[in-house]
Structures are given as C-alpha cells and as structure tokens.
C-alpha cells in the first residue's frame, strides 16, 4: 500500500535497523587504509571517503535490484499489489 503513514513506518523501522549515527567500525576512517596507489595517499583517500556503513547494511537488507513483472508494456500486478520505494 502506498500510504503515507506506512511509508513513514518503513522509514522509521529501517532507521532503527541501521541508524546512521551508530558507531560502526567501517566508519572509523582513521583506522582504515586506502588503496596503495591512491593519489595523495591515505589522507587524500580518507578525505573523500564517505561515512556510509549504514548504507551498506541497508543494501544488504533491502537488496539493490528488483524484478517487476511487465506484460504487453504494462505492469502485471495483482489486485492488492503495488510497487513502492
């Protein structure tokens, strides 16, 4: 259902599963090394590297692709189905 309150519930639920401000180890950029051949070395790599562990975790939970049935150029969804997100 593409209903505003459900969409907000989904957003809040995902924020609880992978909160952006949690102290993830992946986000400890000062402890990570960049690629050996990175121009400017580790400092330059760290300066451009995003703090994004929560994004990786959400991608693992949600996946990064979806298959949507189409027939004759139109979505083929059941009576109570919809595509959202």
């Amino acid at each position: 259902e593409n209903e505003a309150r459900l969409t907000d519930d989904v957003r809040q639920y995902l924020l609880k599963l992978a909160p952006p401000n949690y102290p993830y180890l992946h986000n400890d950029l000062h402890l990570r090394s960049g690629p050996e051949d990175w121009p400017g070395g580790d400092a330059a790599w760290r300066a451009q590297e995003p703090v994004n562990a929560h994004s990786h975790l959400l991608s693992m939970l949600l996946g990064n692709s979806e298959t949507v049935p189409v027939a004759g150029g139109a979505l083929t969804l059941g009576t109570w189905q919809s595509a959202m997100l």
Side-chain angles (χ1 to χ4, degrees):
E1 298 174 24
N2 190 7
E3 193 269 319
R5 294 178 62 83
L6 176 60
T7 302
D8 198 44
D9 286 340
V10 170
R11 183 188 59 77
Q12 291 180 48
Y13 178 72
L14 293 174
L15 283 172
K16 288 179 184 177
L17 288 177
N21 296 322
Y22 186 82
Y24 301 107
L25 300 178
H26 177 73
N27 291 342
D28 291 338
L29 299 179
H30 65 286
L31 299 176
R32 293 174 52 202
S33 298
E36 288 183 23
D37 59 347
W38 192 269
D42 286 343
W45 175 80
R46 289 183 186 113
Q48 63 78 47
E49 184 69 6
V51 173
N52 63 355
H54 69 289
S55 298
H56 291 295
L57 296 172
L58 288 174
S59 180
M60 290 169 53
L61 290 169
L62 299 173
N64 54 21
S65 67
E66 190 61 52
T67 301
V68 180
V70 175
L75 287 175
T76 308
L77 300 175
T79 302
W80 304 110
Q81 292 179 315
S82 63
M84 57 186 285
L85 298 176

